[in-house]
Amino acid sequence: MSTSLLPGWIEPYRLAAREEHLEGVMPLSGFARLAEAVGSQSGDCRVWLDFGIDTQGRRQIRGHLEASLQLPCRRCLSRIDTSVDSEFLLGMVSSDALAAELPSTHEPVLVEDEQMNLLAMVEDELILSLPQVVYHDEADCNVSRDQLTSGAEEEQSPTPPESPFEVLKRLKDKS
């Protein structure tokens, strides 16, 4: 794996026409939206990108990314080492109308003036790859099982709750 830094901006149509392969790293500290979502990160995101044109003439990017992130535990909010590994297939489009024409196997990526913000595209894919929830193992979590419950058991009433339709029945009986 190359440890070279990937550029922030690329010309994807030219790369697709030449069926180029890019690989390298992008510093996690450069991803502002990721930091807003899960806190600031250190280290690098490793990225592999294959540019090409499929049999239908669509320009596409087949990619893979890997990163080791520190994500907050949803119970105790302390950090957990979490590996993110994602594969994706992007179809290059210049408008929303063209994005709607892509098959379901492709995610659209907007290319304006034959330029694409590679940093934003990789950040998007990384954010989409985040696990929905992250928890420590119960033995390792700073919050115990007792702290997760309210402590008060639900009291069972000897009589069932009154039906909301009972009021309507009484009103009907009065008329």
Side-chain angles (χ1 to χ4, degrees):
M1 165 78 197
S2 170
T3 56
S4 64
L5 286 176
L6 290 174
W9 288 86
I10 59 171
E11 295 178 2
Y13 291 139
R14 192 181 67 172
L15 294 171
R18 296 192 312 203
E19 295 187 353
E20 294 281 340
H21 171 80
L22 292 180
E23 67 179 78
V25 296
M26 298 187 105
L28 293 170
S29 60
F31 297 138
R33 289 178 292 129
L34 178 69
E36 287 176 22
V38 296
S40 61
Q41 301 292 317
S42 62
D44 294 321
C45 179
R46 293 167 298 287
V47 182
W48 296 263
L49 301 169
D50 289 311
F51 295 81
I53 301 174
D54 69 8
T55 55
Q56 286 76 32
R58 289 184 293 260
R59 292 175 181 99
Q60 65 182 18
I61 305 169
R62 189 171 299 277
H64 179 88
L65 63 82
E66 295 175 355
S68 181
L69 303 175
Q70 293 280 314
L71 301 178
C73 171
R74 296 296 180 194
R75 285 191 284 238
C76 69
L77 300 179
S78 61
R79 306 294 229 155
I80 305 172
D81 288 327
T82 307
S83 293
V84 175
D85 190 340
S86 174
E87 299 214 8
F88 49 91
L89 180 60
L90 305 173
M92 294 180 229
V93 296
S94 56
S95 69
D96 289 338
L98 292 174
E101 295 175 10
L102 284 175
S104 62
T105 55
H106 292 64
E107 289 295 321
V109 62
L110 187 62
V111 178
E112 296 177 300
D113 299 324
E114 298 201 14
Q115 296 282 314
M116 185 176 76
N117 185 339
L118 186 60
L119 181 74
M121 187 270 295
V122 170
E123 184 176 24
D124 288 345
E125 291 304 319
L126 188 56
I127 290 171
L128 289 171
S129 302
L130 292 174
Q132 288 188 354
V133 291
V134 179
Y135 296 108
H136 284 110
D137 288 334
E138 206 169 293
D140 299 330
C141 196
N142 294 331
V143 175
S144 70
R145 179 181 290 224
D146 296 335
Q147 292 171 314
L148 295 175
T149 61
S150 66
E153 295 293 323
E154 284 189 37
E155 294 180 20
Q156 293 292 334
S157 173
T159 59
E162 187 175 346
S163 167
F165 298 106
E166 195 64 39
V167 174
L168 294 174
K169 181 179 176 190
R170 280 187 249 142
L171 288 173
K172 183 179 174 191
D173 290 341
K174 286 183 181 181
S175 26

